Amino acid sequence: MTIERLRTDILILGSGGAGLFAALHAQRAGQDLDITLATKGLLGKCGCTRMVQGGYNVALNPGDSVERHFMDTIEGGKWLPNQELAWTLVSKAVERVRELENEIGCFFDRNPDGTLHGKAFAGQTFDRTVHKGDLTGIEIINRLMEQVWARPGVRKLEEHRALALIPSRDGTAIAGVLFVDIRKGTFRFVEARAVLLATGGGPTMYRYHTPSGDKSMDGIAMALRAGLPLRDMEMVQFHPTGLLAGPETRMTGTVLEEGLRGAGGHLLNGDMHRFMGDYDPKLERATRDVVSRGIYAEMKAGRTSPNGGVYIKMSHLGPKDVAKKFKGMVDRCRDCGFDLAGGLVEVVPTAHYFMGGLVCNADTSTAMPGLFVAGEDASGMHGANRLGGNGVANSTVFGGIAGDMMPAWLVRNPGHRTVNEEVLQAEVDRAQHPFRKKPGDLNTLREKLLDLMWEDVGVTRDEAGLDRALTGLENIEAELLSTGIPDGDKAFNLTWHDWLNLRSQCETSRVIALAAKQRRNSRGAHFRTDYPEPGDLATSCFTMVRQTADGLKITDEPVRFTHVKPGETLLGVKDAAE
Ligand SMILES: Cc1cc2nc3c(=O)[nH]c(=O)nc-3n(C[C@H](O)[C@H](O)[C@H](O)COP(=O)(O)OP(=O)(O)OC[C@H]3O[C@@H](n4cnc5c(N)ncnc54)[C@H](O)[C@@H]3O)c2cc1C
């Protein structure tokens, strides 16, 4: 099959907060550079940044501080974050939020004195989550999208699915990316001097999940295949309150935002008992992992709502106030037959965010020269747990940094590199694999994967379950490879894309299960019922996995406490005493 070719200087994969910020910064930094933004969906309409509800963490209030935000991030991450990355996140968030308002055109909710309003989010010592009602992501992405569409200098390739990172012939750097143009069903190779991976992770391989349907861990799967190191792959964050509206609707699993618990929402089990006190003194305002485990334990004990979850109740806060403060959530629940303001809504823990991903530096560079990473594809900023509100801060902060760094890198690394044509051809061949097999039932396979990950690699884990999962995943992958799709028109062939999605999900699920087996303690989002203790914080390690010719290799790497050690705090005496 012929491959269309295109040359660009900077290629950005993904149009979420990370990709769009990178495009704007790259253009500002290098006006005469050829910049291409390629995305699996429609620009401004895909990805999870648009779905951000609660808001954006930033230390703006004089009573708050960057140090305090940093300590919340490190302690929330159970001392596993890369501290350099976490510090970059919290310190640059201040500048990025001002940029969002003053340059990009966002307008966030304000206090009566005109300062930005910060709402309460669980697991934080200050109410620092800046927001636009409870639909913050729409404000951010709409304004970013307008700015990017207004720049004809940024080439937009919509509905282009990245398939593989293609190295240079000498194997020392990246040479470009292979795509399938979803609309035409044709292959396109974009040769690039620098590439940003910003495809947004997205643990969509769980029975209940929140991320947008266009995400299937493609970026992380591509990086794995390219031999790049991945860290913290066991760290899948479950949001405690996914909507539970029955098995027949895609609304099941979608998130009801953290601010509901932050504002004082109660969780009740099927016996109408407010159960979180049985698990944690912070009740519903405990961190996401703790609340998810509390709900999961109630589910396992059978004390459930009709659809098998628990209830969230807001009515004691005043239905009128709830309807005003959480309009988006109230509307969403009403659409599914629930009255959030005045009644009870069924909820279930739902896979929400992926803390694992590519190993990277604070300037977004990776182990592969010319390849940069930002947003949910990157790892190390959050360690074992992402604080609500640190996700969109992460994607916009590091997307902007990548946009600044890539033009600078190009100055030091001129010219395109010679492409490894053999790898390129092999990847074209690999993508067409299902057309050579007898058509089969992809849906049953997907259902198997969703159940396996939920049951054995989910909210709680143990050795037997993880062994079962690793065997099960091998079988599912083998079945997938022998399951074909009808050899017809490739244009807008969504069955083909379902197949490709499943392949990325299977490959990354295997790494998640392996890393979960490797970590024999419990930290943040990763909880082993057979190893419930967190282990010694001072000798904390993170897992690192890479694909080698001999299979997956996993190691434990020591966390470097570059800013603060367990038992210490960065806060001044006044803050620490508070
Ligand atoms: C429902 C929901 C609510 C959330 N609420 C909050 C919140 O209140 N606060 C907070 O901080 N965080 C929140 N998050 C998390 C936050 O949305 C993400 O962490 C962040 O937006 C990720 O940004 P990103 O740019 O990395 O990825 P995304 O915004 O997800 O963008 C990924 C992009 O990559 C594209 N892509 C995917 N695969 C490919 C491929 N193969 N080829 C080309 N393009 C590809 C997608 O189409 C998309 O354009 C929420 C997430 C969800 C799902």
Side-chain angles (χ1 to χ4, degrees):
M1 192 177 215
T2 51
I3 308 173
E4 289 174 46
R5 293 196 182 230
L6 177 72
R7 252 189 177 199
T8 193
D9 292 314
I10 293 178
L11 172 62
I12 296 164
L13 306 181
S15 62
L20 294 178
F21 248 104
L24 293 175
H25 275 229
Q27 219 213 9
R28 192 173 66 190
Q31 293 289 343
D32 51 356
L33 288 173
D34 188 289
I35 299 167
T36 301
L37 177 75
T39 187
K40 197 171 174 183
L42 295 174
L43 199 149
K45 305 290 180 195
C46 56
C48 289
T49 309
R50 192 178 174 81
M51 299 164 82
V52 165
Q53 300 171 350
Y56 190 120
N57 286 346
V58 55
L60 294 176
N61 191 300
D64 195 7
S65 67
V66 166
E67 286 78 5
R68 195 168 177 156
H69 186 184
F70 175 79
M71 287 309 302
D72 285 349
T73 303
I74 298 300
E75 282 171 357
K78 306 296 173 205
W79 293 91
L80 288 188
N82 172 318
Q83 297 194 355
E84 193 56 39
L85 294 177
W87 180 256
T88 305
L89 165 62
V90 298
S91 54
K92 285 271 177 193
V94 177
E95 169 184 327
R96 200 63 87 234
V97 130
R98 296 202 194 290
E99 189 180 345
L100 275 167
E101 279 220 320
N102 300 334
E103 292 181 36
I104 308 292
C106 294
F107 191 77
F108 299 116
D109 289 1
R110 298 188 123 67
N111 297 310
D113 67 359
T115 54
L116 287 179
H117 180 255
K119 68 162 111 160
F121 253 28
Q124 301 196 58
T125 60
F126 201 90
D127 296 350
R128 64 168 72 91
T129 309
V130 165
H131 61 107
K132 173 88 172 175
D134 59 358
L135 296 173
T136 309
I138 293 182
E139 176 73 358
I140 293 176
I141 283 292
N142 281 357
R143 302 292 85 79
L144 282 171
M145 171 183 79
E146 287 159 7
Q147 296 286 341
V148 172
W149 276 119
R151 285 167 173 72
V154 177
R155 182 185 299 105
K156 291 99 180 163
L157 301 179
E158 293 183 288
E159 295 182 315
H160 271 61
R161 178 194 189 116
L163 290 168
L165 306 172
I166 307 297
S168 59
R169 196 166 63 200
D170 61 8
T172 58
I174 191 156
V177 175
L178 173 68
F179 291 89
V180 58
D181 176 340
I182 297 174
R183 293 174 188 170
K184 296 198 281 180
T186 51
F187 290 101
R188 175 172 250 174
F189 176 62
V190 180
E191 206 178 326
R193 296 166 59 202
V195 174
L196 175 67
L197 193 66
T199 66
T204 47
M205 65 285 269
Y206 285 88
R207 163 62 54 206
Y208 304 107
H209 61 256
T210 69
S212 60
D214 50 319
K215 300 213 299 191
S216 49
M217 304 278 283
D218 294 344
I220 295 174
M222 289 190 287
L224 178 71
R225 247 181 17 262
L228 285 155
L230 307 176
R231 70 174 273 176
D232 298 332
M233 290 293 287
E234 69 277 27
M235 298 301 177
V236 180
Q237 179 170 73
F238 283 81
H239 195 294
T241 53
L243 187 60
L244 185 56
E248 306 304 333
T249 168
R250 279 284 279 127
M251 292 303 288
T252 283
T254 58
V255 85
L256 295 183
E257 70 134 309
E258 182 124 333
L260 297 173
R261 286 183 294 119
H266 292 173
L267 291 169
L268 309 177
N269 65 16
D271 303 334
M272 296 300 143
H273 167 58
R274 188 180 171 199
F275 58 86
M276 271 312 297
D278 304 340
Y279 300 98
D280 195 282
K282 291 198 194 96
L283 303 165
E284 289 84 359
R285 283 193 72 171
T287 47
R288 290 177 174 179
D289 54 316
V290 173
V291 182
S292 291
R293 280 198 298 281
I295 297 175
Y296 191 69
E298 293 299 307
M299 289 168 68
K300 283 277 171 200
R303 296 184 285 268
T304 63
S305 61
N307 281 309
V310 299
Y311 297 107
I312 189 162
K313 172 169 150 309
M314 301 296 291
S315 56
H316 56 283
L317 301 173
K320 270 196 186 148
D321 282 352
V322 174
K324 191 166 160 217
K325 225 168 146 185
F326 298 103
K327 185 178 175 315
M329 297 301 100
V330 169
D331 288 350
R332 167 173 295 190
C333 290
R334 189 186 305 113
D335 288 346
C336 295
F338 291 116
D339 176 10
L340 177 66
L344 297 173
V345 180
E346 287 185 69
V347 292
V348 67
T350 179
H352 184 50
Y353 186 89
F354 198 61
M355 273 81 73
L358 272 73
V359 172
C360 66
N361 302 308
D363 65 0
T364 71
S365 60
T366 69
M368 184 182 233
L371 180 71
F372 297 77
V373 67
E376 211 174 313
D377 279 342
S379 66
M381 296 76 184
H382 314 291
N385 217 350
R386 170 184 71 93
L387 296 180
N390 267 2
V392 63
N394 176 51
S395 61
T396 54
V397 161
F398 287 99
I401 293 175
D404 297 333
M405 294 314 300
M406 289 187 291
W409 191 84
L410 293 184
V411 173
R412 300 191 304 275
N413 296 275
H416 286 83
R417 288 165 284 276
T418 311
V419 179
N420 187 327
E421 296 289 340
E422 274 170 31
V423 174
L424 180 60
Q425 282 303 332
E427 289 291 348
V428 168
D429 195 52
R430 183 183 197 270
Q432 296 182 94
H433 176 93
F435 294 109
R436 297 190 289 269
K437 298 284 167 187
K438 189 161 162 270
D441 180 3
L442 281 184
N443 205 40
T444 301
L445 262 186
R446 183 178 29 241
E447 293 292 316
K448 269 193 203 170
L449 177 68
L450 295 173
D451 282 338
L452 179 149
M453 291 302 284
W454 170 254
E455 292 294 336
D456 285 333
V457 201
V459 178
T460 63
R461 299 145 176 197
D462 63 28
E463 193 85 0
L466 292 167
D467 283 337
R468 204 166 41 236
L470 284 163
T471 311
L473 286 166
E474 237 176 73
N475 294 339
I476 292 175
E477 207 172 339
E479 240 184 285
L480 178 67
L481 289 178
S482 60
T483 303
I485 57 177
D487 190 9
D489 193 355
K490 291 192 174 65
F492 251 121
N493 187 331
L494 296 185
T495 313
W496 186 19
H497 290 282
D498 277 350
W499 193 98
L500 293 168
N501 287 346
L502 263 174
R503 188 151 196 198
S504 295
Q505 288 165 330
C506 283
E507 285 170 343
T508 46
S509 294
R510 234 167 7 107
V511 184
I512 295 171
L514 185 69
K517 187 170 148 75
Q518 176 83 359
R519 177 172 290 286
R520 290 188 158 170
N521 58 36
S522 292
R523 295 273 181 110
H526 170 78
F527 191 86
R528 294 270 309 240
T529 51
D530 45 355
Y531 297 98
E533 299 304 325
D536 177 33
L537 296 185
T539 54
S540 292
C541 286
F542 60 90
T543 59
M544 196 158 84
V545 182
R546 65 194 316 161
Q547 181 80 57
T548 69
D550 302 326
L552 292 175
K553 282 276 167 296
I554 184 156
T555 52
D556 290 323
E557 305 291 328
V559 175
R560 291 199 295 123
F561 302 112
T562 51
H563 289 54
V564 63
K565 291 190 180 64
E568 292 177 358
T569 178
L570 273 196
L571 304 177
V573 177
K574 178 176 163 288
D575 269 340
E578 279 172 358

